[in-house]
Amino acid sequence: MNASTNSNIQFKHYLETSKVKGLAIPAGLQQLLLAVADTCTTLSHEVAQGALIGLLGSAGTGNVQGEVQQKLDIIANDLLIEGVQACKSLAGLASEEMELPVAVQGTGDYLLLFDPLDGSSNIDVNVSIGTIFSILKKQDPTAPLQTADFLLSGRHQVAAGYVVYGPQTTMALTLGDGVVMFTLNKDTGQFVLIKHAVQISPATKEFAINMSNMRHWAEPVRRYVEECLAGVSGERDKDFNMRWIASMVADVHRVLSRGGIFMYPWDQREPHKPGKLRLMYEANPMSFLVEQAGGASTNGEQLIMDLQPSDLHERVSVMLGSKDEIERLQRYHAKV
Ligand code: AHG
Ligand code: MN
Ligand code: MN
Ligand code: MN
């Protein structure tokens, strides 16, 4: 199955007939979203083959993040470029796996940013992974593409979403007017709408963080997590459950599906870096989805989507999900 010949007819119909804040979705944005959906349909099939087609393991190369690239990181990156580069509405794209943005021959002004394969450490152990994408609009459509065109705050996103390759292949999407979810029918190759108006409960009893980093966290995070661990025997009026999948896309999908809080905060292992996760193609798209679903997303001091980026691959401390818990964390960071 390849992206070009198996277009997602049902998803296309959804885009053609939906309204965003009462307005039709611009045709150029529809075209780009359909190309992403088609590519992720192909990627879903590739991911499901794994070892059968030699997809597992390292590619033996490194990326701008200083990470060892997995074969699937590169395959996903190449498939996405191939899948969208013919979009007339696209001006350029940027990826976790490429140091610089790529100009495409499109005459449009959309900018696509993506984490082609999130959760790479889970590829070889058959745990859910995914693709995260964010769409911006070039502010000056006439000038030649440059990196600075991408350095817009998360508030400028016109669309964001992810496709999680798990037991189901499910897409979450926001265009700024709520969150919808589609599951891929693998018999027909169609993304089918399964949820609209996704909402995150403000209260939760579930937190997600990599506990092995506890001794490295800043005090407000340690205080928050220690209180969650203590539950009713401590400051909180409930006991908490913990999850950590180590694929942001899967952890955030759980938060969107049943509430919760996801944290990858700054820690002192690399004190000069604000965090591990990347602002432009991980934190911003996920924050857009979470805010549109009634949740909140902060770096402790500011809402993530308010941050003004200065580098395409800059990192950020991330705490997102159920609003009551995020507000508590913000209070702890403000020391009130
Ligand atoms: P990526 O695979 O795109 O590099 O991102 C991995 C990220 C994110 O998906 C996940 O939440 C986090 O790394 C897990 O980090 P740890 O392995 O340190 O827990
Ligand atoms: Mn990576
Ligand atoms: Mn990632
Ligand atoms: Mn990645």
Side-chain angles (χ1 to χ4, degrees), residues 11-26:
F11 183 57
K12 186 168 186 288
H13 179 70
Y14 171 83
L15 295 173
E16 286 168 345
T17 55
S18 292
K19 292 270 193 284
V20 173
K21 296 176 187 163
L23 299 173
I25 300 170

Side-chain angles (χ1 to χ4, degrees), residues 74-125:
I74 296 173
I75 290 168
N77 191 62
D78 293 349
L79 273 174
L80 278 159
I81 295 171
E82 181 197 333
V84 303
Q85 65 183 352
C87 278
K88 291 279 173 286
S89 57
L90 187 65
L93 53 87
S95 164
E96 174 199 347
E97 301 305 334
M98 301 187 298
E99 182 174 1
L100 298 173
V102 172
V104 295
Q105 77 267 25
T107 51
D109 49 8
Y110 289 111
L111 300 172
L112 176 68
L113 302 94
F114 51 83
D115 176 355
L117 211 289
D118 174 65
S120 305
S121 65
N122 284 326
I123 294 169
D124 290 359
V125 295

Side-chain angles (χ1 to χ4, degrees), residues 56-234:
L56 304 185
S58 157
T61 50
N63 63 13
V64 66
Q65 321 287 340
E67 300 166 337
V68 173
Q69 291 175 303
Q70 300 303 296
K71 289 177 193 168
L72 213 45
D73 284 324
I74 296 173
I75 290 168
N77 191 62
D78 293 349
L79 273 174
L80 278 159
I81 295 171
E82 181 197 333
V84 303
Q85 65 183 352
C87 278
K88 291 279 173 286
S89 57
L90 187 65
L93 53 87
S95 164
E96 174 199 347
E97 301 305 334
M98 301 187 298
E99 182 174 1
L100 298 173
V102 172
V104 295
Q105 77 267 25
T107 51
D109 49 8
Y110 289 111
L111 300 172
L112 176 68
L113 302 94
F114 51 83
D115 176 355
L117 211 289
D118 174 65
S120 305
S121 65
N122 284 326
I123 294 169
D124 290 359
V125 295
N126 197 19
V127 170
S128 298
I129 49 183
T131 298
I132 308 170
F133 59 91
S134 171
I135 300 176
L136 298 167
K137 282 198 91 165
K138 196 161 175 286
Q139 304 296 291
D140 175 359
T142 56
L145 187 79
Q146 50 182 337
T147 301
D149 292 322
F150 291 82
L151 302 183
L152 301 172
S153 78
R155 297 289 169 207
H156 288 81
Q157 293 176 101
V158 294
Y162 60 76
V163 178
V164 53
Y165 311 114
Q168 301 103 41
T169 288
T170 294
M171 180 200 303
L173 176 69
T174 185
L175 300 170
D177 192 6
V179 176
V180 289
M181 285 186 181
F182 305 82
T183 289
L184 181 67
N185 178 334
K186 296 201 174 171
D187 299 329
T188 62
Q190 299 296 313
F191 275 108
V192 179
L193 182 68
I194 55 159
K195 268 188 196 173
H196 57 272
V198 172
Q199 281 296 301
I200 299 174
S201 54
T204 184
K205 296 180 178 179
E206 194 160 69
F207 71 96
I209 195 165
N210 182 336
M211 289 296 292
S212 69
N213 300 324
M214 189 164 199
R215 64 189 181 285
H216 304 303
W217 298 331
E219 194 280 333
V221 172
R222 196 166 43 246
R223 173 187 172 191
Y224 175 81
V225 173
E226 281 169 349
E227 287 179 357
C228 287
L229 293 173
V232 294
S233 64

Side-chain angles (χ1 to χ4, degrees), residues 208 223 252 259 274 287:
R223 173 187 172 191
V252 171
S287 300

Side-chain angles (χ1 to χ4, degrees), residues 33-49:
L33 288 168
L34 188 57
V36 170
D38 285 346
T39 306
C40 291
T41 302
T42 302
L43 197 42
S44 170
H45 289 274
E46 303 279 299
V47 165
Q49 297 291 92

